Each structure stands twice: as structure tokens, then as C-alpha cells.
Amino acid sequence: ELMVAIDIDLSNIDDGTGLADGIYLYHIAENEWKLFLEYPNDYFITYPSICLDRKQQLLYLAGVDVAAYVVDMNTKQLREFPDFHSFGWNDRKCIMIESEYHQIGGDRNKYHLRWDEQQNTFVPLH
């Protein structure tokens, strides 16, 4: 049985642990963390705000730097999430509301935004 606990090793920088850099999931039956997805060499993210769309099995990682990514939990594909750079990267938070990605804040954003998949952009709500 898998517990919904995710440990994000922040980057592909050697931290001296000897563990692969990536996303780890905790398995209750084995009482251990197991590597779910190893980061590609060109991947870098720091202190991400994390949210999971359980319905579509997508994990969103919005870092405090210029990076944001989406991980397909079924295929283990990692892709960069577009349109993040104009809002600033410090202090942004992400939440899922009925399988829709929402972002609140950012050092250059005073809005509550919803991602519009069809328009491939954020739409201000408040």
C-alpha cells in the first residue's frame, strides 16, 4: 500500500546522501521511501509549492525560482509548465480546485489565477 507522501529532492545538485535526485514516494508496507522519478540532468527547481490533481494524476511543482513543472504520475513524464515567468516566483502558492490548477500570489502577482488549458494561459479570478 502506498501512502500519499511525497519527498522532493530539490535539484540535481549532489547533496552527499548518495541517493538519486528526484521524487520519492513512501510505501507503508515496506516502511521506506522509494524513488518514483529521477530528475533529468537539465532539471532544476527550488522549494516548490506542490499540489496533486488526483483525478488526472498530475503533480504540479511551482518553484521559487523561474521553474514550474508538471509530472504525469501514470507515465512519469516531466514537462515544464508554461507561462510562469511573468508573475514572479517568490511566495507563490498552488492549489487544485476540482481538477483545475490555481496559483495565488508571487512577488509580481497580486491575483488569484486559474490555469486555462484550452487557452494555454492563466486567467485572473480575483
Side-chain angles (χ1 to χ4, degrees), residues 67-83:
Y69 297 90
V70 180
V71 178
D72 184 314
M73 301 293 282
N74 294 315
T75 65
K76 297 186 180 183
Q77 294 294 311
L78 176 82
R79 65 178 167 88
E80 190 165 358
F81 196 63
D83 201 22

Side-chain angles (χ1 to χ4, degrees), residues 50-66:
I50 303 167
C51 56
L52 175 65
D53 179 348
R54 286 177 168 248
K55 185 178 180 181
Q56 296 185 43
Q57 292 294 294
L58 299 173
L59 177 68
Y60 292 81
L61 310 168
V64 298
D65 46 25
V66 297

Side-chain angles (χ1 to χ4, degrees), residues 27-42:
H27 293 259
I28 295 172
E30 291 88 15
N31 191 28
E32 68 179 348
W33 290 93
K34 291 186 179 180
L35 182 64
F36 174 74
L37 176 68
E38 188 170 353
Y39 293 146
N41 289 335
D42 60 348

Side-chain angles (χ1 to χ4, degrees), residues 2 5 9-10 18 32 36 44-46 60 62 68 70-71 81-84 88 91 99-101 103 112 114 116 125:
L2 175 68
D9 194 347
L10 298 177
E32 68 179 348
F36 174 74
F44 187 82
I45 194 167
T46 55
Y60 292 81
V70 180
V71 178
F81 196 63
D83 201 22
F84 262 82
D91 301 319
S99 286
E100 292 182 325
Y101 179 87
Q103 176 180 295
H112 170 179
R114 178 184 50 82
D116 186 317
L125 300 177

